């Protein structure tokens, strides 16, 4: 394929990859998507499809980000998997697209396994299931390893020596707006959705109270829940 602003490859994968009933779209932004890489993507995602058979579509986006300060993170891959009423997303930046693919697939697999553990292990309130202690330890070790790699990758050019001398900075602006459906759901379902998309919070309508609510990550592996209520309800809840 020739290099273009956006190249796309669609269709079911062959051989040991995804089945013909699964749609795979690979998009390259200013990069070529060679056929052998398409086969590698299909093979890697086949494992994800087996983990969650409800997933029927994968979109993989490749993007080169030329930044001399971040040569080890110049190749970015984002994977978005969609299924029956839900989606999962993972992103990684590495020195090659092959390494980025491995890292993104690993993140996606961890998210799906964590959600699967939540759905198959009895809940105790809204805390993470105690039966997933081994999984939690593994996630903590992986997070520490990722932080160590990021610290090791920093070089002398990662710090701007003139940062404190710039005075014409403008306040942050709202640069993106999203509107989502407000179908009520349980707190546990909201936590699962948050894990699948890889975010630190999730906004939803709590089906138990019919109020706007947000679940978010706290320290260790616990979560928090915030709900909006009118002034009278809020005062009653504080008493």
């Amino acid at each position: 394929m020739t290099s273009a602003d956006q190249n796309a490859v669609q269709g079911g994968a062959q051989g040991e990859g995804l089945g013909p009933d699964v749609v795979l779209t690979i998009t390259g932004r200013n990069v070529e998507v060679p056929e052998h890489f398409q086969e590698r993507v299909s093979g890697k995602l086949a494992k994800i499809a087996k983990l969650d058979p409800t997933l029927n579509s994968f979109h993989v986006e490749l993007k080169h980000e030329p930044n001399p300060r971040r040569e080890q993170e110049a190749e970015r891959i984002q994977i978005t998997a969609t299924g029956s009423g839900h989606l999962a997303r993972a992103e990684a930046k590495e020195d090659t697209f092959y390494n980025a693919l491995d890292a993104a697939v690993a993140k996606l697999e961890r998210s799906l396994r964590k959600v699967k553990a939540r759905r198959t292990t009895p809940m105790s309130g809204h805390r993470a299931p105690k039966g997933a202690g081994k999984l939690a330890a593994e996630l903590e070790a992986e997070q520490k390893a990722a932080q160590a790699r990021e610290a090791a990758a920093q070089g002398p050019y990662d710090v701007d020596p003139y940062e404190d001398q710039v005075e014409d900075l403008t306040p942050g602006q709202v640069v993106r707006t999203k509107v989502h459906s407000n179908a009520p759901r349980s707190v546990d379902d909201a936590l699962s959705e948050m894990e699948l998309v890889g975010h630190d919070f999730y906004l939803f309508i709590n089906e138990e109270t019919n109020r706007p609510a947000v679940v978010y990550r706290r320290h260790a592996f616990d979560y928090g829940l915030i709900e909006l209520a009118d002034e009278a309800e809020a005062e009653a809840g504080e008493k």
Side-chain angles (χ1 to χ4, degrees):
M1 300 181 62
T2 59
S3 178
D5 179 63
Q6 187 170 352
N7 298 320
V9 180
Q10 290 186 310
Q14 305 296 324
E16 299 298 326
L18 295 167
D21 56 337
V22 179
V23 176
L24 170 62
T25 304
I26 304 178
T27 303
R29 295 186 180 275
N30 295 323
V31 296
E32 295 184 0
V33 184
E35 185 175 351
H36 62 83
F37 189 79
Q38 301 168 30
E39 296 173 354
R40 185 180 183 91
V41 171
S42 179
K44 291 289 184 179
L45 294 181
K47 183 177 181 180
I48 301 299
K50 291 180 180 178
L51 185 62
D52 187 349
T54 67
L55 297 175
N56 52 30
S57 176
F58 291 90
H59 178 213
V60 180
E61 182 181 88
L62 289 71
K63 184 178 181 181
H64 176 69
E65 299 179 344
N67 187 339
R69 297 184 181 182
R70 297 289 184 181
E71 292 183 357
Q72 299 300 314
E73 299 179 354
E75 314 301 352
R76 180 178 72 87
I77 284 185
Q78 179 175 281
I79 302 174
T80 303
T82 57
S84 55
H86 70 282
L87 64 83
R89 183 181 294 115
E91 178 181 315
K93 298 179 181 179
E94 297 289 345
D95 55 340
T96 68
F97 283 120
Y98 290 95
N99 291 338
L101 174 63
D102 291 343
V105 170
K107 289 181 180 180
L108 194 59
E109 181 179 357
R110 287 196 299 271
S111 296
L112 291 173
R113 290 190 182 279
K114 191 172 182 179
V115 169
K116 187 175 182 180
R118 286 189 53 78
R119 291 174 175 172
T120 57
T121 306
M123 296 289 105
S124 176
H126 297 304
R127 297 172 61 86
K130 295 183 179 180
K134 183 177 179 181
L135 176 62
E138 292 176 353
L139 288 171
E140 183 179 14
E142 291 167 355
Q143 290 173 351
K144 289 182 178 179
Q147 293 173 353
R149 288 196 300 269
E150 182 177 356
Q154 290 185 346
Y157 299 104
D158 289 321
V159 179
D160 185 358
Y162 304 103
E163 182 177 4
D164 296 335
Q165 302 178 25
V166 178
E167 298 180 356
D168 57 344
L169 297 178
T170 58
Q173 305 293 318
V174 176
V175 298
R176 188 176 184 182
T177 302
K178 283 188 175 182
V179 178
H180 295 278
S181 63
N182 62 349
R185 65 187 66 213
S186 67
V187 174
D188 287 332
D189 285 343
L191 289 171
S192 295
E193 292 293 333
M194 181 182 72
E195 295 291 353
L196 286 173
V197 297
H199 290 172
D200 293 325
F201 68 93
Y202 189 84
L203 175 66
F204 69 108
I205 301 295
N206 190 344
E207 65 180 12
E208 296 181 3
T209 62
N210 202 35
R211 291 197 293 249
V214 171
V215 288
Y216 62 95
R217 300 182 191 277
R218 287 183 56 83
H219 301 295
F221 302 98
D222 289 332
Y223 303 101
L225 172 66
I226 299 175
E227 286 193 344
L228 293 180
D230 58 34
E231 188 173 351
E233 286 182 307
E235 291 179 353
E238 293 177 355
K239 295 179 180 180

